[in-house]
């Protein structure tokens, strides 16, 4: 009888508090399938929660050990579904347990079939696992900003997990796309066909009141400083939840519009993202893949705040 290896937060603190735990396989409920996970993605929120910061930590503080993670891609191995939405052997991906449930850092998950999308033949499970949180966050941020054809949009942190997808989705909407990054990522982002601003060399001084839309993926002082680059009718979506109130308050003081967001699972958007990946309209960058046992190193990596694209965890097979 196989067991389910999971990487759990055993106490709030340093990455070393992540420990592999083993339990029985979960049984899929009537509307669920059992997925053998190939890859889970690592997001900054996972490291914040592990450190005891934010809403998911507050809500789960009496619920440790708690298994983090919201992105999975893998293969259906069992089904409790009456409707047979998926069959054994189907390759699937999805955004699960957001924000309080988590659970993606697992060999097996029982998950509502309604949360899953089929992974097209031309898309690897690694690529699929990188898309749910970041792809849908990028999509929903641009949607919330009502980014229109020809508008000038600035993505702060264009090289990160959300950013590298947001710049490509904004381009697909025929916007005039700019992004900030460090010197190390300038060529990478230029090759995606956008205008690049090296925040270490020049900053936004030449872009005062220039942008129609800013997607702020850094937050805090960086988000506040970027408000000067927003034109009077512009819209900023500030994505990091921890600093959103401060950025929105400052925007309001200056008579500018800023708003926050919280990603929510949308299967139609997920299906579109997968199709775009299959047809090479969307290129997914994977910086590093760690084994489940090396999850603490994956957290150290994401905590640098400097990773390009996504960090993945590969489950033991
Ligand atoms: N509200 C929601 O629903 C939601 C959903 C998803 C993510 N988030 C939040 O959104 C933020 C971004 O997430 P992510 O997954 O994209 O993070 P990430 O992958 O960790 O972002 C890393 C990137 O940030 C760039 N960066 C760091 N400091 C920068 C600065 N001052 N200016 C410009 N770029 C900078 C780095 O590029 P360089 O090395 O070139 O500096 C790096 O490529 C996080 O705070 C995350 O928690 C919120």
């Amino acid at each position: 009888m196989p067991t389910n290896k999971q990487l759990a937060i055993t106490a709030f603190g340093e990455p070393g508090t992540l420990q592999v735990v083993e339990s029985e396989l979960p049984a899929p409920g009537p509307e669920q399938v059992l997925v053998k996970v190939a890859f889970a993605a690592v997001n900054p929120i996972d490291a914040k929660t592990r450190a005891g910061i934010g809403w998911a930590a507050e809500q789960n503080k009496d619920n440790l050990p708690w298994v983090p993670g919201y992105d999975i891609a893998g293969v259906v191995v069992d089904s409790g579904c009456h409707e047979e939405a998926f069959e054994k052997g189907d390759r699937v991906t999805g955004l699960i347990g957001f924000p309080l449930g988590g659970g993606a850092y697992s060999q097996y998950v029982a998950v509502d079939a309604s949360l899953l999308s089929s992974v097209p033949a031309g898309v690897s499970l690694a690529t699929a696992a990188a898309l749910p949180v970041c792809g849908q966050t990028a999509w929903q941020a641009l949607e919330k900003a009502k980014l229109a054809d020809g508008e000038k949009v600035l993505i702060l942190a264009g090289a990160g997990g959300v950013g590298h997808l947001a710049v490509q989705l904004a381009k697909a909407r025929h916007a005039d796309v700019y992004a900030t990054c460090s010197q190390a990522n300038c060529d990478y982002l230029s090759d995606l066909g956008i205008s690049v601003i090296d925040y270490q060399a020049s900053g936004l001084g030449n872009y005062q009141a220039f942008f129609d839309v800013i997607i702020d993926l850094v937050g805090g002082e960086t988000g506040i400083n970027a408000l000067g680059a927003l034109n009077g009718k512009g819209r900023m979506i500030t994505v990091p939840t921890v600093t959103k109130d401060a950025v929105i308050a400052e925007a309001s003081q200056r008579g500018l519009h800023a708003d926050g967001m919280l990603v929510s699972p949308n299967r139609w958007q997920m299906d579109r993202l997968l199709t775009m990946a299959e047809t090479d309209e969307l290129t997914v960058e994977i910086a590093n893949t760690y084994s489940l046992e090396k999850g603490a190193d994956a957290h150290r990596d994401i905590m640098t705040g400097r990773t390009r694209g996504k960090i993945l965890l590969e489950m033991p097979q």
Side-chain angles (χ1 to χ4, degrees):
M1 182 74 177
T3 58
N4 188 19
K5 277 193 185 161
Q6 300 178 292
L7 191 68
I9 298 169
T10 55
F12 293 138
E14 295 301 312
T17 64
L18 289 167
Q19 298 287 329
V20 174
V21 295
E22 279 192 57
S23 58
E24 286 181 15
L25 289 198
E31 307 297 330
Q32 293 188 321
V33 291
L34 182 66
V35 179
K36 185 168 192 216
V37 180
F39 296 95
V42 176
N43 289 291
I45 187 177
D46 305 343
K48 291 175 204 167
T49 305
R50 191 217 64 244
I53 299 165
W55 194 47
E58 175 59 30
Q59 295 294 315
N60 283 297
K61 66 178 187 299
D62 299 322
N63 194 21
L64 303 181
W66 182 78
V67 178
Y70 303 107
D71 298 287
I72 56 149
V75 175
V76 172
V77 291
D78 195 6
S79 169
C81 294
H82 298 309
E83 292 181 12
E84 297 296 331
F86 293 101
E87 294 179 357
K88 285 184 194 175
D90 284 353
R91 297 179 341 129
V92 293
T93 183
L95 199 176
I96 66 163
F98 190 79
L100 297 182
Y105 292 10
S106 301
Q107 259 183 313
Y108 293 89
V109 289
V111 54
D112 290 355
S114 62
L115 290 174
L116 296 174
S117 295
S118 291
V119 178
V123 176
S124 71
L125 288 177
T127 292
L131 280 172
V133 168
C134 286
Q136 291 179 72
T137 301
W139 191 299
Q140 290 166 26
L142 296 171
E143 196 87 0
K144 187 154 194 174
K146 297 189 168 63
L147 178 67
D149 200 326
E151 284 194 312
K152 293 187 184 69
V153 57
L154 172 65
I155 317 284
L156 300 176
V162 179
H164 84 293
L165 300 173
V167 298
Q168 297 176 71
L169 293 176
K171 241 182 96 70
R173 284 173 174 246
H174 307 292
D176 187 6
V177 185
Y178 294 68
T180 57
C181 64
S182 64
Q183 210 260 323
N185 283 315
C186 285
D187 288 347
Y188 164 68
L189 282 179
S190 290
D191 288 347
L192 293 176
I194 64 159
S195 304
V196 176
I197 302 169
D198 177 345
Y199 65 85
Q200 293 167 324
S202 55
L204 297 173
N206 294 332
Y207 297 92
Q208 292 306 293
F210 183 77
F211 292 103
D212 304 298
V213 168
I214 297 178
I215 307 297
D216 168 25
L217 298 167
V218 183
E221 283 303 306
T222 301
I224 287 171
N225 290 339
L227 285 168
L230 197 61
N231 71 38
K233 292 186 176 159
R235 296 88 69 197
M236 175 186 277
I237 306 299
T238 182
V239 179
T241 49
V242 180
T243 56
K244 82 170 168 43
D245 290 343
V247 177
I248 292 169
E250 179 64 25
S252 168
Q253 282 237 328
R254 299 191 201 179
L256 295 168
H257 177 83
D259 208 347
M261 65 161 284
L262 194 63
V263 67
S264 97
N266 181 310
R267 191 153 78 170
W268 183 84
Q269 290 169 3
M270 192 62 219
D271 290 343
R272 276 295 301 145
L273 289 161
L274 289 161
T275 302
M276 290 176 79
E278 188 183 30
T279 55
D280 291 333
E281 287 170 89
L282 196 61
T283 304
V284 177
E285 177 78 13
I286 295 168
N288 284 311
T289 302
Y290 295 85
S291 67
L292 187 70
E293 288 80 2
K294 296 281 185 194
D297 289 338
H299 272 219
R300 289 184 190 100
D301 205 357
I302 198 86
M303 284 163 65
T304 64
R306 305 301 300 277
T307 50
R308 179 191 291 174
K310 287 302 301 174
I311 303 288
L312 299 184
L313 289 182
E314 186 167 13
M315 300 305 140
Q317 290 304 303

